[in-house]
Amino acid sequence: MATATKKTNTYSPRLKDHYEGELRARLKDELGVSSVMQVPRISKITLNMGVGEAKTESKALDAAIEELTTIAGQRAQVRRARKSIAGFKIREGMPIGARVTLRGARMYEFLDRLVSIALPRIRDFRGLSPRSFDGRGNYSIGIREQIIFPEINYDDVSTIRGLDVTITTTAETDEQAFALLRGLGLPFAQPEGDR
């Protein structure tokens, strides 16, 4: 009688291994917390792409969803207007954008690709602004062109679109979140006085 062998998934993202192996212990000492469970960690990454021309052209929304799905590696959701705004000619329930929420291994994979491949491809990149924290330990990055991601084929892009990347952490303060994200490799710009 043959014994059934259990197949285990041994893959773990490089950034997650770095966080659990050395960064968490270093942050515990650096931030002065009493337990490694108090050390901040990333809980999710949200990608959001607004498509204003979707109200007149439905193909624009389809292209945005396809591009966001390719960038994230996960199917994008259609975002609809919550209320009508006459000045923008938007009715309640109209599709106006796309978003993806990444967690777990996909989240670490995306962050690794963002830091090591996509951000260095931005023209005249001088580092991320350390002032983009929201006061509760979350960080937002505005990306002007989706073509900085190598997954996007430049020839297939009809319109250059921007997207927002929001990194949600469990940090209680912006200083803790800054230490976490800097430890994970985000290239923050030096403040003006420190240069």
Side-chain angles (χ1 to χ4, degrees):
M1 187 168 157
T3 58
T5 57
K6 185 177 177 185
K7 188 176 181 182
T8 57
N9 189 3
T10 57
Y11 173 73
S12 180
R14 181 177 70 145
L15 220 51
K16 184 177 182 185
D17 292 341
H18 169 66
Y19 172 74
E20 291 174 352
E22 55 190 82
L23 183 62
R24 191 192 296 180
R26 193 173 78 219
L27 284 174
K28 178 182 178 282
D29 299 335
E30 192 178 306
L31 300 173
V33 293
S34 57
S35 167
V36 290
M37 297 309 287
Q38 289 177 310
V39 173
R41 65 183 186 281
I42 298 176
S43 57
K44 66 180 177 179
I45 295 178
T46 310
L47 309 175
N48 185 31
M49 187 182 278
V51 188
E53 64 267 19
K55 60 183 178 239
T56 56
E57 192 180 341
S58 63
K59 286 194 169 116
L61 183 67
D62 294 340
I65 288 173
E66 204 58 47
E67 288 168 3
L68 204 55
T69 300
T70 305
I71 290 168
Q74 181 174 308
R75 185 74 183 152
Q77 297 176 313
V78 174
R79 301 298 293 150
R80 298 187 178 276
R82 290 192 204 141
K83 61 182 183 179
S84 300
I85 303 171
F88 294 117
K89 297 180 181 169
I90 292 175
R91 300 282 161 257
E92 186 178 339
M94 225 181 227
I96 55 170
R99 76 139 187 231
V100 176
T101 302
L102 301 172
R103 299 178 197 272
R106 281 197 184 125
M107 168 184 76
Y108 282 106
E109 283 294 327
F110 173 78
L111 189 62
D112 198 7
R113 281 187 291 126
L114 179 73
V115 169
S116 56
I117 299 171
L119 289 178
R121 292 176 63 163
I122 295 177
R123 277 179 297 184
D124 299 329
F125 182 67
R126 291 190 177 91
L128 298 172
S129 170
R131 294 188 303 235
S132 294
F133 288 94
D134 68 349
R136 293 187 293 277
N138 304 320
Y139 187 72
S140 296
I141 306 167
I143 296 174
R144 290 199 180 114
E145 300 174 331
Q146 82 276 31
I147 55 173
I148 64 166
F149 292 96
E151 298 89 14
I152 300 291
N153 187 356
Y154 188 78
D155 299 330
D156 296 342
V157 173
S158 58
T159 311
I160 299 293
R161 284 189 195 83
L163 66 135
D164 298 318
V165 178
T166 303
I167 302 171
T168 306
T169 68
T170 60
E172 296 172 5
T173 63
D174 289 346
E175 290 75 24
Q176 287 183 347
F178 180 76
L180 168 68
L181 296 177
R182 193 184 56 212
L184 287 171
L186 262 73
F188 287 104
Q190 294 292 322
E192 292 297 322
D194 294 355
R195 285 184 185 165

